[in-house]
Amino acid sequence: MGILNEAFRWLNDPLNWTGRRGVVELATAHLLVSAAAVGLALLVALPAGLWLGHRRRGATVGVVVANTTRALPTLALLTLLAASGWFGNTATALACAVFAVPPILANAVTGVGGVDGDVRDAARGIGMSGARMLWTVEVPLAMPLIAAGIRTGAVQVLATVPLAALVGGTSLGTIVVTGFATQRYGQALAGGVLVAGLCLLVEGLLALVERLAAPRGLRALARAAASDARAAERATAPRRRPAPVAAPGGTGSNGASPSP
């Protein structure tokens, strides 16, 4: 309980929130590095995913190749970048961008590639070109999955950016690393709580954006499907029969008096 009390006191100290290396400054740097990493991942993964999903050829190979980057530990990649002369937030942004590519690419490929073939045929039938069909038909229908991939990649990056403190970067991980270095384990725990809280906050905001990004028609279909599922569940649920009520005078449910 001593570490918990120390963490609580550290979080309630106003001096730890303001000024240089305060929580506000470190959280801002944390968000900026995360945004840079997600932006780099989007520049690489999103066009490739849309193109592979639209072509419906080579998508599996592309996703498998991207997923192989998951086997590369982020800390090892940071160490390699540091050995090559890349330190601080730049190295962290590059390493985390590699880590964010797989979910963005996989969801973009799956979303665009999963558009109904009849919808594609109808778009071609009215004279749409491939590019126009991609941006006006396929991407809007795939937007829920694309947004989910971006949300997953962003939260993973937010949870990984604290490693920046190990290569001279600035983030909320600085609080954790400083706490361990000075044997103030309550401070380290407080830093972990701040990182987890930031991840949960961004997760909730991106989930809201993901819901708003879906076309109205898809949202209406989802609500209708959920309503039909609830109605079917109520219709198939077994109904309980009312328990028999004993008649006045001690008689049973059939009106006969109990035998002595």
Side-chain angles (χ1 to χ4, degrees):
M1 292 299 292
I3 295 178
L4 292 177
N5 290 332
E6 184 182 347
F8 184 78
R9 288 195 302 269
W10 192 94
L11 289 172
N12 282 277
D13 187 351
L15 296 178
N16 293 327
W17 287 81
T18 58
R20 190 173 181 272
R21 299 286 180 171
V23 172
V24 175
E25 179 183 321
L26 294 176
T28 302
H30 195 120
L31 290 172
L32 290 176
V33 174
S34 301
V38 174
L40 289 173
L42 285 172
L43 288 176
V44 175
L46 195 57
L50 296 179
W51 181 67
L52 291 172
H54 177 70
R55 290 180 71 249
R56 292 192 173 185
R57 290 192 299 271
T60 303
V61 175
V63 172
V64 170
V65 171
N67 282 332
T68 56
T69 60
R70 294 177 184 268
L72 181 63
T74 307
L75 183 57
L77 184 56
L78 280 172
T79 304
L80 291 175
L81 290 172
S84 303
W86 296 83
F87 293 95
N89 292 341
T90 302
T92 306
L94 291 174
C96 291
V98 173
F99 192 59
V101 164
I104 297 174
L105 178 64
N107 279 41
V109 170
T110 304
V112 176
V115 174
D116 197 308
D118 293 337
V119 176
R120 295 171 181 259
D121 293 339
R124 293 192 188 97
I126 61 175
M128 282 190 180
S129 63
R132 185 180 178 188
M133 179 175 65
L134 172 64
W135 292 108
T136 60
V137 176
E138 292 174 333
V139 169
L141 292 176
M143 187 54 67
L145 271 179
I146 295 173
I150 296 173
R151 174 167 59 92
T152 301
V155 174
Q156 288 179 352
V157 166
L158 280 170
T160 309
V161 163
L163 294 176
L166 299 176
V167 291
T170 303
S171 69
L172 289 175
T174 303
I175 300 173
V176 180
V177 173
T178 303
F180 280 116
T182 57
Q183 296 185 355
R184 297 175 180 175
Y185 301 115
Q187 176 181 339
L189 177 60
V193 170
L194 290 172
V195 173
L198 184 62
C199 290
L200 291 174
L201 176 62
V202 174
E203 168 83 12
L205 292 176
L206 291 180
L208 179 61
V209 172
E210 175 186 339
R211 183 173 182 179
L212 295 176
R216 291 183 179 180
L218 290 181
R219 295 202 299 267
L221 286 175
R223 288 193 296 268
S227 178
D228 292 343
R230 288 193 296 268
E233 184 179 355
R234 287 195 297 268
T236 57
R239 297 182 178 179
R240 294 184 178 180
R241 294 182 177 180
V245 180
T251 60
S253 59
N254 55 1
S257 298
S259 57

